[in-house]
Every structure is written in structure tokens, then in C-alpha cells.
Amino acid sequence: MGQWNKILTAILAVAIVGAIGASVYIFTNPNKGERFTEFYILSLNGKANDYPQELAIGEEGIVILGIVNRELEDTVYRVVVTIDGTVVEEIKDISLVRNEPWEEPVSFTPTVVQSELMLVEFLLYRHTDIELYLSLSLTVDIL
């Protein structure tokens, strides 16, 4: 029996050392996970419907624009709003820590009739990148 106790003690010691080693590795090398950004539009009632669908020239359309940083690091964003390709607003330096959400009302106003339909785009850039990261769009009828 004495020899079995020594063998079991040795196996237990190796298992404990292995568990400690695995724990240290996991805590020093965490799983990075998936990196992404949530980018969305809501109506003023906070729903994903009832967006402005018809506007007259000079009439203001308003939506709530949302960003959630899931990039696993602090990230600075920039949003450009365009109507039919023309920049109408730019929101700079939206600085979000990991998992932090940002929601703000954003307005757009058509001033020129280019067609019966107006394309409103919300373009998201990370940091100072010139390459587009994400985009959203709405099509609005011009009255």
C-alpha cells in the first residue's frame, strides 16, 4: 500500500502543477475572441422601423445612430453622413472603450432634388482610417 500512496501522491502533484501551469497560461494569454463593431440605425422611438420615409426639400429627417465597440480594445470612430453622395454631416472623435455603446440622434435635410428618391448613407470609419469600415443607408422619397 505504501508504494501506491507514493504513486498517487506523485500523480496528484503532477496534476496540480499542470493545473497551475494551465491557469497561468490562460490568464496571461486570454482568448482574443471575435473583433467587430455594432453599427445600427433606430427611429426616434428606439425601434428598428418607422424611419423617415418621405421628406420635403428643407424638411429634417432624424434617426438615432448607434455604435457598440466590440473590438477588444479602445477605439475611436468617425461617422460621415451623406445624401446622394454629398457630405452633410461628420461626427468626429467618437472614443469608445471596449464594449461601450454610443447612441445619438443624427439629422439630415435634403436641400436639392436630384431624383425622386434620396439615398442617405451613414459611413463609419475607425481611427483615422480613410478606408470605409461599415455603412448603413436609408432610401427616402422626396415630396
Side-chain angles (χ1 to χ4, degrees):
M1 275 305 227
Q3 187 175 8
W4 283 110
N5 283 341
K6 288 180 185 179
I7 292 172
L8 289 175
T9 301
I11 292 171
L12 184 58
V14 168
I16 290 172
V17 169
I20 291 171
S23 297
V24 168
Y25 177 79
I26 288 170
F27 285 115
T28 59
N29 297 302
N31 184 0
K32 292 293 181 184
E34 189 174 357
R35 302 168 63 108
F36 64 97
T37 296
E38 293 178 35
F39 187 43
Y40 56 89
I41 301 172
L42 301 174
S43 63
L44 287 179
N45 64 11
K47 304 287 184 189
N49 60 11
D50 295 330
Y51 304 115
Q53 295 178 349
E54 296 179 339
L55 292 174
I57 294 297
E59 184 180 2
E60 181 180 59
I62 303 173
V63 295
I64 297 172
L65 193 62
I67 303 170
V68 181
N69 175 11
R70 306 276 189 216
E71 298 293 334
L72 305 178
E73 63 186 9
D74 296 356
T75 304
V76 178
Y77 298 96
R78 175 173 57 98
V79 175
V80 175
V81 181
T82 67
I83 296 178
D84 291 331
T86 301
V87 175
V88 295
E89 185 171 357
E90 185 171 5
I91 306 165
K92 296 181 179 180
D93 299 326
I94 304 168
S95 183
L96 301 177
V97 299
R98 184 176 176 184
N99 295 321
E100 181 179 7
W102 175 90
E103 281 188 357
E104 291 291 327
V106 175
S107 64
F108 50 92
T109 305
T111 56
V112 177
V113 177
Q114 293 183 7
S115 65
E116 290 181 14
L117 291 177
M118 171 179 76
L119 180 64
V120 181
E121 293 181 291
F122 303 89
L123 310 173
L124 182 69
Y125 298 86
R126 289 189 312 170
H127 307 288
T128 57
D129 291 351
I130 57 171
E131 184 177 326
L132 179 64
Y133 184 50
L134 295 170
S135 67
L136 301 168
S137 62
L138 295 175
T139 303
V140 179
D141 289 327
I142 299 299
L143 301 177

